[in-house]
Amino acid sequence: MTPLDDHSQHRRPLFFPVVIATVMLTIIGMTGGYLLSERRGQPSSDAASPSVPDDSSSSGPALLPTDGLCPQKTQEMGAKSGAAGELGLVLEVATKSKTVVWICQDNAGRLFYHANKGGQSALWVEGKTALFLADVRDDGDGNFTATAAWDGTTFSVNRDRVLITSAAGKVTEQEAVSE
């Protein structure tokens, strides 16, 4: 007796090709996520030496090193002021008078000033306990200056102090809390 010719094809199991495809997609996704986080200026695993993105090909301001993201309230105010993407933390200064100042930078290199009496965990009321200013100037060597458009008051910030100069010339210095 001769067996019947069965011309149906032998089916291969799909298990191994599916596992290989899953592994490849996982690697691609992880690589993409890592590259996006580096582009946003978030610190790499070597937090002691944050990387400065190479901005030599663009005509905009150079991006400063950032250390994570600015507070959520600052993110919200930045979005209202036209910030490009999330705001990265450039400088945080806590003063002896219990005010905290954040200098933040968007993805286009634009700098912002945000201060709140009592810091991040205190009540935030813009114009009363908090002050947000756009278009901060980088004076170099870790010094930043913000000017309030409505009255000309300037806020000069570095890691040692916040210097407030009214339009009339009155100067108030708030010393930073030593770490």
Side-chain angles (χ1 to χ4, degrees):
M1 196 171 196
T2 56
L4 297 173
D5 278 338
D6 185 7
H7 293 292
S8 63
Q9 293 190 355
H10 177 70
R11 293 187 183 189
R12 288 185 172 179
L14 290 177
F15 178 75
F16 289 109
V18 169
V19 168
I20 291 170
T22 302
V23 168
M24 293 301 292
L25 289 172
T26 301
I27 291 170
I28 291 169
M30 289 173 54
T31 303
Y34 173 77
L35 292 174
L36 283 173
S37 73
E38 286 296 309
R39 181 180 170 121
R40 287 189 176 166
Q42 293 179 354
S44 62
S45 59
D46 184 13
S49 60
S51 62
V52 179
D54 180 17
D55 199 48
S56 58
S57 63
S58 75
S59 60
L63 295 175
L64 299 170
T66 58
D67 186 17
L69 295 176
C70 284
Q72 183 59 38
K73 296 285 188 183
T74 306
Q75 299 293 338
E76 293 166 9
M77 291 302 295
K80 289 178 183 177
S81 295
E86 294 181 307
L87 298 179
L89 179 64
V90 174
L91 177 66
E92 181 177 347
V93 178
T95 69
K96 290 183 178 179
S97 63
K98 307 278 190 240
T99 296
V100 179
V101 175
W102 296 270
I103 300 295
C104 304
Q105 177 178 244
D106 71 4
N107 293 341
R110 188 173 169 206
L111 294 169
F112 300 87
Y113 169 103
H114 206 184
N116 192 44
K117 293 177 184 173
Q120 199 170 161
S121 61
L123 177 67
W124 287 69
V125 179
E126 288 302 322
K128 293 192 187 275
T129 66
L131 177 63
F132 183 88
L133 299 171
D135 301 320
V136 172
R137 187 176 71 238
D138 179 0
D139 298 327
D141 295 330
N143 293 297
F144 301 92
T145 301
T147 303
W150 58 88
D151 70 355
T153 300
T154 61
F155 301 84
S156 178
V157 182
N158 65 32
R159 63 187 183 115
D160 298 320
R161 53 103 183 113
V162 176
L163 194 64
I164 304 166
T165 307
S166 72
K170 180 183 176 197
V171 178
T172 305
E173 182 173 353
Q174 296 182 3
E175 232 181 292
V177 175
S178 60
E179 295 180 32

